[in-house]
Amino acid sequence: MDSLPPYKTLNLPASTRQSVRIYKKQLLENADLSATDRKHIQQDIDTLEWRHVLKAGTCDILPFKDEERDYSELHLIHVTLKFPAHVKRLGEVLQRAIQYPLILVFEHAGQVCIQMADKRINRADNTRLTVETLHDSGWLNVMEPDAATLGFLQAFRFEVCDQQHLYAFWQCLTDKLAGLETARYTGHYVATPTLDREQRRAVLQQLHALEQQLTTIRATLKRETQFNRKLELNMQAKQCQLQLQALTAQLD
């Protein structure tokens, strides 16, 4: 497993390395889970292992903590799956169940999916973290990567990320994941985009909304029988496509 590119290219210091098996029973007994989530954990997950911990004593990057954020430690967990269909939901469950900023690397049949989640301190209970934005690479063929995946793997590296403190390091990694999402629109991976973090996030949110709108229009168009209404829907679809092209151009 260690030869897989995400571990090889991330290149975390050897001092951060762990090898701690997490048993599914621990999750089932200690996490607040629905019946469906329990079923997915039992049936879909093969193994879970704590692979790396970045904190004082294991690396030279300073911890970060303020009233909103606690990035005193970053953890990486490797999850092998028997069935990949519910990987996004499993990531959400694990992110909420494990109270650390967490890099999840799922593996199935030679492909990997990297998931991260921004977390903030829960104001009602400052011993807990609340999940905010979820970041998801989607499934990546790391054995035969396309150009965008290869660009991402080359950029997703310890030594090229901001090491001012652990929160800066974390944000740098999530920026790399956002770059992979951007590449799905532009067709190529850019390690240092012209847009800043918030600008790029805003453009991606607009693109997602337009895609959903276009999907709805096309579904309605298939059911429509009136000619005038079809013409109107086609014009709406064309307008969405033009907006998608204009926004995509901002990502280059």
Side-chain angles (χ1 to χ4, degrees), residues 36-171:
T36 300
D37 291 336
R38 288 179 176 275
K39 180 179 178 182
H40 292 338
I41 288 171
Q42 290 172 323
Q43 296 185 358
D44 293 7
I45 293 178
D46 187 11
T47 62
L48 301 96
E49 186 179 9
W50 235 294
R51 285 289 182 92
H52 290 272
V53 178
L54 283 72
K55 62 179 181 178
T58 70
C59 71
D60 293 330
I61 308 178
L62 293 173
F64 177 92
K65 186 174 182 178
D66 62 13
E67 293 182 353
E68 294 287 331
R69 311 280 173 188
D70 185 354
Y71 284 73
S72 302
E73 301 182 16
L74 306 185
H75 293 242
L76 187 149
I77 291 178
H78 181 243
V79 186
T80 57
L81 295 179
K82 291 182 282 187
F83 305 104
H86 308 112
V87 63
K88 187 169 185 178
R89 178 58 188 170
L90 284 169
E92 293 172 0
V93 169
L94 290 172
Q95 290 288 358
R96 289 181 170 86
I98 298 172
Q99 290 296 300
Y100 296 103
L102 186 63
I103 304 169
L104 289 171
V105 180
F106 290 94
E107 181 202 346
H108 175 75
Q111 297 196 351
V112 299
C113 176
I114 301 170
Q115 295 185 1
M116 300 172 67
D118 298 329
K119 298 180 181 181
R120 62 174 173 79
I121 296 171
N122 187 323
R123 291 183 181 274
D125 181 358
N126 61 16
T127 66
R128 299 186 63 79
L129 299 180
T130 298
V131 173
E132 293 184 316
T133 307
L134 292 162
H135 308 273
D136 188 333
S137 72
W139 284 108
L140 305 175
N141 184 344
V142 294
M143 299 305 180
E144 298 179 0
D146 59 19
T149 300
L150 187 59
F152 164 72
L153 293 172
Q154 290 172 342
F156 198 71
R157 303 200 319 272
F158 178 83
E159 62 269 23
V160 299
C161 282
D162 187 342
Q163 297 183 21
Q164 178 184 356
H165 48 64
L166 283 175
Y167 185 45
F169 179 74
W170 175 271
Q171 287 184 305

Side-chain angles (χ1 to χ4, degrees), residues 136-137 140 146-153 155 174-193 200 203-204 207-208 211 247-252:
D136 188 333
S137 72
L140 305 175
D146 59 19
T149 300
L150 187 59
F152 164 72
L153 293 172
T174 58
D175 284 346
K176 306 300 184 186
L177 283 177
L180 188 59
E181 185 177 7
T182 299
R184 294 199 177 98
Y185 291 100
T186 64
H188 54 272
Y189 189 90
V190 177
T192 54
R200 183 164 60 172
V203 171
L204 288 171
L207 285 167
H208 294 161
E211 285 181 325
L247 284 168
T248 299
Q250 294 182 31
L251 295 174
D252 276 321

